[in-house]
Amino acid sequence: MEDRLVIKGIEFKSRLWVGTGKYKDFEETARAIEASGTDVVTVAVRRVNIFDRKSPNLLDYVDPKKYKILPNTAGCYTVEDALRYARLAREAGVSDMVKLEVIGDEKTLFPDVCGLLQATEILAKEGFIVFPYTNDDPIIAKRLVDAGAAAVMPLGAPIGSGLGIRNPYNIKIILETVDIPVIVDAGVGTASDATIAMELGCDAVLINTGIAGAKDPIAMAEAMKHAVIAGRLAYRAGRIPKKLYATASSPLEGMLI
């Protein structure tokens, strides 16, 4: 209770948020989500059927009463597309929250930050709770705050790459620059990557491919759960300073000679 994550009045029980793409079927998706301990599940509005209740539907396996559904605009390359799918999700009664993606390059999937800033400002004025996926640029992060973002979601590495936190120093600067939550999104490949993000002081981590692409997604989901908890505890505990030379664990003072 002393370390709650609250964004725009919404309390989040878990600091691990998970995606729903790339699993072999809905059953595996549901099992991984359960093992992760999350209460936030992202859903790509363009790619996942959440509107036609007559067809197989992700929401038949992920109970909106148990989990907070976070629609995302994955696959949108224009501001207009991103706005359209965010609005569709809200009109369908899914959520006022949106993980906003405006992709600028098909190969790297890096964000179009100019379009992202524009879409963030428009959606925030419309009352959306906007979580923009961005690069690890502290200046852009600050401008997203000014545009009305509820949190910023800098990439740790390119989407689906599994490279981990490639530039922890930029993430650290973002944490010192903005006064809203910072959630690492993209690039996490294994549990230690998630721990590093949390040890830096990030408020949460969003993971999809790192879990769904593992040989055993269910086991990896549980590993990520523990990694995020451990990283957060370590951050709050405060690590010892790094030193070039050794320091004896047992002080020499007072030892019998």
Side-chain angles (χ1 to χ4, degrees):
M1 293 300 293
E2 296 177 357
D3 188 34
R4 298 180 301 163
L5 175 58
V6 180
I7 305 175
K8 293 292 185 179
I10 302 170
E11 182 174 340
F12 300 89
K13 296 178 181 178
S14 174
R15 292 176 184 271
L16 171 61
W17 298 6
V18 298
T20 51
K22 302 183 179 180
Y23 291 95
K24 67 179 182 181
D25 51 38
F26 287 152
E27 287 85 358
E28 183 179 73
T29 308
R31 290 176 60 208
I33 291 169
E34 181 71 25
S36 75
T38 191
D39 64 331
V40 181
V41 178
T42 67
V43 176
V45 181
R46 286 192 64 157
R47 297 171 180 163
V48 176
N49 172 29
I50 59 174
F51 303 113
D52 183 4
R53 302 300 294 172
K54 298 178 182 178
S55 303
N57 192 300
L58 177 64
L59 298 186
D60 293 330
Y61 297 83
V62 181
D63 186 357
K65 296 179 180 178
K66 183 176 181 180
Y67 301 102
K68 296 176 180 66
I69 306 301
L70 177 59
N72 74 60
T73 61
C76 293
Y77 286 80
T78 67
V79 171
E80 291 73 20
D81 266 1
L83 296 176
R84 176 171 178 263
Y85 284 101
R87 291 163 178 161
L88 276 173
R90 184 161 74 173
E91 289 169 8
V94 179
S95 180
D96 289 331
M97 299 188 297
V98 60
K99 180 197 165 191
L100 180 62
E101 296 185 26
V102 182
I103 301 301
D105 177 68
E106 188 172 354
K107 183 176 181 180
T108 64
L109 299 181
F110 285 152
D112 172 357
V113 294
C114 295
L116 185 67
L117 285 166
Q118 182 183 350
T120 297
E121 185 171 12
I122 292 169
L123 291 174
K125 287 180 178 178
E126 293 180 5
F128 282 87
I129 300 170
V130 186
F131 300 90
Y133 158 71
T134 182
N135 56 23
D136 59 2
D137 182 344
I139 306 304
I140 294 300
K142 180 64 172 65
R143 290 186 178 178
L144 287 166
V145 174
D146 297 338
V152 291
M153 305 184 76
L155 55 83
I159 292 174
S161 67
L163 290 172
I165 311 301
R166 292 294 83 198
N167 196 338
Y169 305 105
N170 272 25
I171 300 294
K172 191 69 175 174
I173 294 171
I174 290 173
L175 287 162
E176 294 174 357
T177 300
V178 304
D179 57 0
I180 60 175
V182 176
I183 303 167
V184 163
D185 177 21
V188 172
T190 191
S192 57
D193 299 332
T195 300
I196 289 170
M198 298 306 295
E199 287 179 346
L200 287 170
C202 294
D203 296 276
V205 180
L206 195 157
I207 306 171
N208 187 175
T209 306
I211 296 174
K215 292 181 179 179
D216 185 339
I218 314 307
M220 184 60 80
E222 185 173 2
M224 293 296 190
K225 175 179 72 174
H226 295 300
V228 168
I229 292 171
R232 182 65 182 178
L233 285 173
Y235 169 73
R236 296 190 72 206
R239 65 160 293 134
I240 63 171
K242 294 181 180 181
K243 298 180 180 179
L244 182 61
Y245 296 103
T247 302
S249 298
S250 299
L252 298 177
E253 293 82 3
M255 292 185 67
L256 296 176
I257 299 177

